[in-house]
Amino acid sequence: MASRKEGSGAAGGGFGASKGKGKTAAAGDSAVKQVQIDGLVVLKIIKHYQEEGQGNEVVQGVLLGLVVDDRLEITNCFPFPQHTEDDADFDEVQYQMEMMRSLRHVNIDHLHVGWYQSTYYGSFVTRALLDSQFSYQHAIEESVVLIYDPIKTAQGSLSLKAYRLTPKLMEVCKEKDFSPEALKKANIAYENMFEEVPIVIKNSYLINVMLWELEKKSAVADRHELLSLASSNHLGKSLQLLMDRVDEMSQDIVKYNTYLRNVSKQQQQKHQYQQRRQQENIQRQSRGEPPLPEEDINKLFKPPQPPPRMESLLIAGQINTYCQNIKEFNAQNLGKLFMAQALQDYNN
């Protein structure tokens, strides 16, 4: 699912436009407790996907705003332009800088506070997203990534979530050591890799009045369409993606078991080698000969490299996301069933 542009956050996070605007959080404490998004930003994100997103195509963009105490206010955004690998002359960092400079000239909020990305059936827990968010969050402490799910939104409810990397994972990413020992020492599992930040969507009073007027003009039949129990293949696709990730996890488990067998086999070889050396030294001592010189056994038996465990954690996190999506989908359909039954009883 990862698109070419998912790595662009590393470049975009290189300039700390909003660095120092928020209060520095204490150790182990999140710098942002709540994300407040203007309704216009939500509409821009939805419009961006509708214009450029096709199927599993990922669209991304930059979030602008400011930090007030422990609340991140997102007041504006602009998309990353679509371009191909052939556009060698295109500089994404320069493009972002020019956009922010232009917004500043017209007195619009231009401080960089994160980025957004669409997702395909919740498939966003990837290494590319991890690397991009680390770059943003390392340069701008309060940065968040907004994940917009157009498929869930099409089912009748807006799906927009904000995520940050946990302090533990930030420390591990800084060290760039993803070995099993390092992850175990840091006590990192897929449950504590990302932290979700609550979102509040804010609209002006005029927009609220307009929404109420639109609500009054909407037809009753249109409202009832949201009670349809048709899955639109949503459940089947989610289960297929879930099985694919389970297969990948199974392959990673096989690789790790192979590593453990190799380690055990090498330990046996080391033990046999030491026993042979000990017996040979005893024989040499009985003949009055000096013992064999000491050798670094680690040089003779190079330990096998353990497979990186970060990919396994990301796969486990993606499996958990799919399970949550399936659970929410079933709960939503159950609620629709009860509501449809209640309407039928009311009409009768």
Side-chain angles (χ1 to χ4, degrees):
M1 185 211 71
S3 68
R4 185 197 67 77
K5 291 190 294 182
E6 281 183 303
S8 63
F15 50 89
S18 63
K19 189 70 174 176
K21 288 295 179 182
K23 296 182 178 179
T24 303
D29 190 17
S30 175
V32 174
K33 298 296 184 183
Q34 186 185 69
V35 175
Q36 178 179 297
I37 310 175
D38 282 5
L40 180 61
V41 176
V42 178
L43 294 177
K44 283 185 176 181
I45 294 175
I46 296 174
K47 183 173 181 288
H48 183 198
Y49 176 82
Q50 290 178 344
E51 290 180 347
E52 299 186 3
Q54 299 292 335
N56 60 352
E57 180 71 19
V58 172
V59 298
Q60 297 173 324
V62 176
L63 300 175
L64 306 173
L66 68 160
V67 179
V68 180
D69 296 329
D70 59 354
R71 184 178 72 253
L72 178 64
E73 297 184 3
I74 301 175
T75 58
N76 203 354
C77 68
F78 62 85
F80 287 130
Q82 291 280 11
H83 59 277
T84 63
E85 298 288 350
D86 298 332
D87 301 330
D89 297 335
F90 182 79
D91 190 340
E92 292 182 347
V93 177
Q94 184 64 26
Y95 168 77
Q96 295 181 46
M97 294 294 290
E98 291 178 357
M99 283 292 298
M100 295 167 67
R101 190 179 300 112
S102 300
L103 292 172
R104 182 172 66 248
H105 288 164
V106 294
N107 200 26
I108 296 178
D109 290 337
H110 61 279
L111 300 181
H112 206 152
V113 295
W115 58 299
Y116 69 84
Q117 173 182 303
S118 65
T119 181
Y120 179 68
Y121 284 97
S123 303
F124 64 90
V125 186
T126 62
R127 184 61 181 270
L129 181 136
L130 174 65
D131 294 339
S132 295
Q133 180 58 23
F134 169 74
S135 298
Y136 272 95
Q137 208 164 317
H138 180 67
I140 309 170
E141 185 182 4
E142 301 85 5
S143 294
V144 299
V145 52
L146 287 182
I147 303 297
Y148 168 63
D149 192 332
I151 297 177
K152 276 189 178 180
T153 303
Q155 299 295 322
S157 60
L158 176 64
S159 179
L160 193 66
K161 295 183 179 181
Y163 292 97
R164 289 170 47 84
L165 302 186
T166 59
K168 289 183 178 180
L169 187 57
M170 286 292 295
E171 292 298 325
V172 172
C173 291
K174 288 178 183 178
E175 298 295 332
K176 297 182 180 180
D177 184 5
F178 302 118
S179 63
E181 293 77 13
L183 295 178
K184 183 178 180 181
K185 181 180 179 181
N187 193 25
I188 290 181
Y190 70 88
E191 298 95 336
N192 55 10
M193 294 177 61
F194 298 90
E195 58 182 359
E196 184 177 352
V197 186
I199 290 179
V200 174
I201 299 178
K202 180 183 179 182
N203 289 319
S204 67
Y205 295 111
L206 292 177
I207 293 179
N208 287 332
V209 171
M210 183 188 70
L211 291 176
W212 278 109
E213 290 297 326
L214 293 176
E215 179 74 14
K216 293 178 181 178
K217 296 179 181 179
S218 63
V220 177
D222 295 336
R223 302 177 190 176
H224 290 173
E225 288 180 0
L226 297 179
L227 299 179
S228 173
L229 299 179
S231 62
S232 301
N233 203 30
H234 178 81
L235 182 59
K237 187 63 178 180
S238 297
L239 288 173
Q240 181 61 49
L241 292 171
L242 174 60
M243 290 188 291
D244 292 342
R245 297 294 85 76
V246 170
D247 289 340
E248 292 180 6
M249 177 62 73
S250 177
Q251 295 173 8
D252 274 10
I253 292 174
V254 171
K255 292 179 182 178
Y256 189 68
N257 289 336
T258 302
Y259 161 75
L260 293 179
R261 286 196 298 268
N262 292 337
V263 170
S264 177
K265 183 179 179 180
Q266 189 179 78
Q267 291 296 333
Q268 293 177 0
Q269 292 175 350
K270 286 183 180 180
H271 183 67
Q272 293 173 1
Y273 175 80
Q274 291 174 338
Q275 284 183 334
R276 288 198 303 269
R277 295 274 296 186
Q278 186 177 6
Q279 292 175 359
E280 190 172 352
N281 282 333
I282 293 175
Q283 293 175 0
R284 291 174 66 89
Q285 187 178 6
S286 64
R287 295 195 299 265
E289 298 176 358
L292 295 172
E294 293 291 337
E295 296 181 351
D296 188 357
I297 195 171
N298 289 326
K299 292 184 179 179
L300 296 175
F301 298 92
K302 188 176 181 180
Q305 291 295 325
R309 300 300 291 168
M310 180 54 68
E311 296 298 331
S312 298
L313 288 179
L314 291 171
I315 293 173
Q318 188 60 68
I319 290 175
N320 181 66
T321 301
Y322 286 144
C323 292
Q324 291 294 331
N325 288 346
I326 294 173
K327 181 180 178 182
E328 291 174 3
F329 176 78
N330 290 334
Q332 186 180 26
N333 266 2
L334 185 61
K336 288 180 179 179
L337 182 62
F338 286 142
M339 183 64 71
Q341 184 63 43
L343 286 174
Q344 183 179 0
D345 293 343
Y346 176 79
N347 292 332
N348 292 337

